[in-house]
Amino acid sequence: MNANHQDHDQGFDPEDDGDLDDRPPSKSMLKRDAHDLQELGKQLVSMPDSRLKSIEMPERLRDALDAYKTTRSHEGKRRQLQYVGKVMRLIDAEPLREAVAEFQLGHARNALQLHQAERWRAELLQEDKDVLTAWVSEFPGGDMQQLRALIRNARKDAAAAPEKRNGRAYRELFQYIKEAMSDEPPRESEPADRDAED
């Protein structure tokens, strides 16, 4: 057969700019879909069991995911992941995609909140009094006396022995900051308001 010959009855790829008529999907399109479903399966397996139990899915898929988790060999995991993709072809995968996206977004939010708490702790431990004022303006509901005592104790720990930077007072300050940040949403600060107006 001629290598340049194109058989128009073989299927179509929706990413091509050709006509979208009644031809079946191309082999490459089916493979892309299968790989996407396998990737979704990997993301589902990486979720904690408590979250997986709350997601509504067929029992066959739940069993396939459980079997993947108990499989030890690399080749066995690869084959089981293909089976997970095959099972997911028979169901509507959109609710599963939404559940994975919601889980990943929540995980990212938690990580961002921890980074912000670490930044606040580092800034509060500096000798700059403006940082404390900024903290009070963003989180006005906190106990200032307790915060000052925690800062003072953490500074003493750091000054006494630099290797005690992660001492008890340092951790307590972090916990206080984290709780204060989760208790009340931060108010919009003035520089952010100026940026929004521009």
Side-chain angles (χ1 to χ4, degrees):
M1 190 175 210
N2 186 353
N4 294 328
H5 175 73
Q6 292 182 350
D7 189 0
H8 295 286
D9 295 330
Q10 284 186 348
F12 77 96
D13 190 345
E15 294 176 1
D16 292 342
D17 292 335
D19 290 341
L20 298 178
D21 41 11
D22 294 333
R23 291 182 282 177
S26 69
K27 187 175 179 181
S28 60
M29 182 181 160
L30 292 173
K31 280 180 128 178
R32 264 193 306 273
D33 291 344
H35 287 294
D36 288 345
L37 289 174
Q38 286 179 24
E39 186 60 35
L40 179 60
K42 275 185 190 176
Q43 292 170 342
L44 282 170
V45 167
S46 68
M47 292 174 67
D49 288 337
S50 60
R51 282 301 281 261
L52 272 180
K53 288 178 184 174
S54 66
I55 298 173
E56 199 171 310
M57 67 179 79
E59 198 61 36
R60 187 175 175 193
L61 177 59
R62 195 174 303 280
D63 292 342
L65 293 172
D66 290 340
Y68 178 86
K69 289 182 178 183
T70 60
T71 304
R72 297 286 174 225
S73 71
H74 176 72
E75 182 62 20
K77 283 186 178 267
R78 185 189 67 80
R79 285 194 314 264
Q80 187 63 28
L81 201 57
Q82 286 180 333
Y83 178 68
V84 167
K86 180 180 177 181
V87 171
M88 288 192 348
R89 274 185 250 148
L90 305 174
I91 64 171
D92 182 22
E94 200 53 41
L96 298 174
R97 280 191 176 92
E98 290 173 5
V100 167
E102 181 182 319
F103 172 72
Q104 290 174 341
L105 182 64
H107 199 62
R109 274 194 202 120
N110 291 342
L112 179 64
Q113 186 179 15
L114 289 177
H115 288 302
Q116 288 174 340
E118 288 174 0
R119 181 185 58 82
W120 272 112
R121 176 177 59 185
E123 289 181 9
L124 286 169
L125 288 176
Q126 296 173 357
E127 298 293 332
D128 190 6
K129 296 202 186 289
D130 293 337
V131 176
L132 194 57
T133 307
W135 170 264
V136 171
S137 67
E138 270 201 59
F139 304 99
D143 182 6
M144 283 300 298
Q145 188 175 1
Q146 182 185 7
L147 178 62
R148 283 192 177 114
L150 289 170
I151 292 171
R152 186 173 45 252
N153 291 340
R155 285 178 183 162
K156 283 180 188 176
D157 281 354
E163 65 274 356
K164 278 197 159 187
R165 235 187 130 100
N166 295 330
R168 182 175 169 212
Y170 197 72
R171 290 189 306 271
E172 287 176 353
L173 176 61
F174 181 76
Q175 289 303 319
Y176 177 85
I177 292 169
K178 194 169 78 165
E179 288 172 11
M181 289 176 71
S182 64
D183 284 348
E184 64 182 78
R187 289 200 256 162
E188 294 284 328
S189 58
E190 291 178 12
D193 290 340
R194 278 191 226 129
D195 290 343
E197 292 172 3
D198 290 339

